[in-house]
Amino acid sequence: DQQVKQNSPSLSVQEGRISILNCDYTNSMFDYFLWYKKYPAEGPTFLISISSIKDKNEDGRFTVFLNKSAKHLSLHIVPSQPGDSAVYFCAAPVNGELTFGTGTRLTIIP
Amino acid sequence: NAGVTQTPKFRVLKTGQSMTLLCAQDMNHEYMYWYRQDPGMGLRLIHYSVGEGTTAKGEVPDGYNVSRLKKQNFLLGLESAAPSQTSVYFCASSQTSGGANEQFFGPGTRLTVL
C-alpha cells in the first residue's frame, strides 16, 4: 500500500512561472517529509524538508507547504528555471526507512 | 570528498548469473541502504544496514543478499539473476535514522538481465 503518493507523473511549466508539485500521504504518524530532486543518470539529491509541526518551510526559490488535515504537501518553485527540469520525489521516514512517492517529472519550457 | 560511489555503473547479465554491486561512502555514516528504481514505482528499499556487521530487510529483499563488513562499504549481491531484477540500483547513506533522515545517494548502477 503506497503511503506516499504523487498522482501527477509529469508537469510542464513556462520558465519564470511557479511550479507546484503535489504529494499526498496516508500515514498521519509521519514526523517529517522530504523532497528529492533527480536528474537523468544521477542519484537523487536532497532538496528540502519539513517537520510535521510546521506548515511551511522556505529555502530560496523552494517552499514546501504542509496541510496536515488534508494529508497533503506541496513543493513550490518560484521562479522556475530550466535547471529545475528533473524528477521530484516526495518521501517520508518511518521506522528508520524512507518511503518514496513515484515521482513527478517537471519540465521547464524556455 | 567523493560522497557515495557505486561500481559498476552499467552491467548486463544473463539469467542465472551472479554479481555483486559495491557501494562506498566516505562520510563516516552509520546507515547505508540499497534501493531499486523501476518505471512508475519510485524507489523501493531492498536492504539496509544500521552499522558495521548488521543488515536488515527492506520492502523488496527477495533475490538479493547484502553484507557490511566495513563501515564504509555496503555490498549487494545477486546470486542467480532474473529478468525481473532489471532495474537501476541506488545506494544511499545517512548519519542517523531519526529526524528527517536525510540520505545521500550514489549515482546508480543500471543492470539489465537478459
Side-chain angles (χ1 to χ4, degrees):
Chain A
D1 183 31
Q2 198 84 21
Q3 296 189 68
V4 178
K5 301 178 183 181
Q6 294 176 260
N7 293 317
S8 298
S10 62
L11 175 68
S12 294
V13 175
Q14 288 286 133
E15 181 178 358
R17 299 286 184 101
I18 182 172
S19 295
I20 301 176
L21 296 97
N22 295 304
C23 181
D24 296 301
Y25 62 95
T26 56
N27 188 343
S28 57
M29 301 301 291
F30 287 142
D31 290 330
Y32 286 88
F33 300 91
L34 296 82
W35 284 94
Y36 278 82
K37 176 179 181 179
K38 185 184 179 305
Y39 292 120
E42 294 184 12
T45 55
F46 171 75
L47 188 58
I48 190 170
S49 66
I50 186 168
S51 165
S52 62
I53 63 172
K54 296 186 176 182
D55 54 19
K56 177 183 175 181
N57 188 27
E58 189 172 354
D59 184 1
R61 297 187 297 113
F62 302 91
T63 303
V64 57
F65 295 92
L66 177 61
N67 182 334
K68 288 186 287 292
S69 62
K71 293 183 181 175
H72 177 85
L73 64 154
S74 60
L75 174 68
H76 294 214
I77 306 173
V78 182
S80 299
Q81 299 175 353
D84 296 330
S85 293
V87 177
Y88 291 79
F89 293 96
C90 65
V94 58
N95 297 326
E97 302 178 18
L98 270 183
T99 297
F100 285 85
T102 52
T104 297
R105 181 178 301 278
L106 175 65
T107 302
I108 305 303
I109 304 165
Chain B
N1 190 341
V4 180
T5 58
Q6 294 181 232
T7 52
K9 287 186 169 49
F10 303 94
R11 186 71 185 267
V12 178
L13 289 178
K14 294 181 180 179
T15 297
Q17 286 185 319
S18 63
M19 78 163 294
T20 300
L21 283 68
L22 172 63
C23 175
Q25 53 97 2
D26 61 4
M27 296 173 283
N28 202 34
H29 285 170
E30 291 292 335
Y31 298 81
M32 296 187 75
Y33 312 83
W34 276 107
Y35 294 88
R36 60 179 288 174
Q37 186 194 8
D38 301 294
M41 301 288 287
L43 284 88
R44 293 182 293 168
L45 183 65
I46 304 171
H47 285 281
Y48 64 99
S49 169
V50 301
E52 182 178 322
T54 73
T55 63
K57 294 180 180 180
E59 180 186 355
V60 289
D62 294 341
Y64 305 94
N65 57 76
V66 287
S67 64
R68 182 104 180 266
L69 299 180
K70 294 182 179 181
K71 185 177 183 179
Q72 64 268 34
N73 295 336
F74 195 27
L75 279 62
L76 177 71
L78 288 74
E79 291 187 349
S80 180
S84 61
Q85 294 178 304
T86 293
S87 188
V88 182
Y89 292 86
F90 291 100
C91 176
S93 70
S94 65
Q95 181 55 38
T96 72
S97 66
N101 190 10
E102 179 187 340
Q103 296 180 13
F104 297 81
F105 284 81
T109 295
R110 183 173 294 276
L111 175 65
T112 301
V113 183
L114 302 176

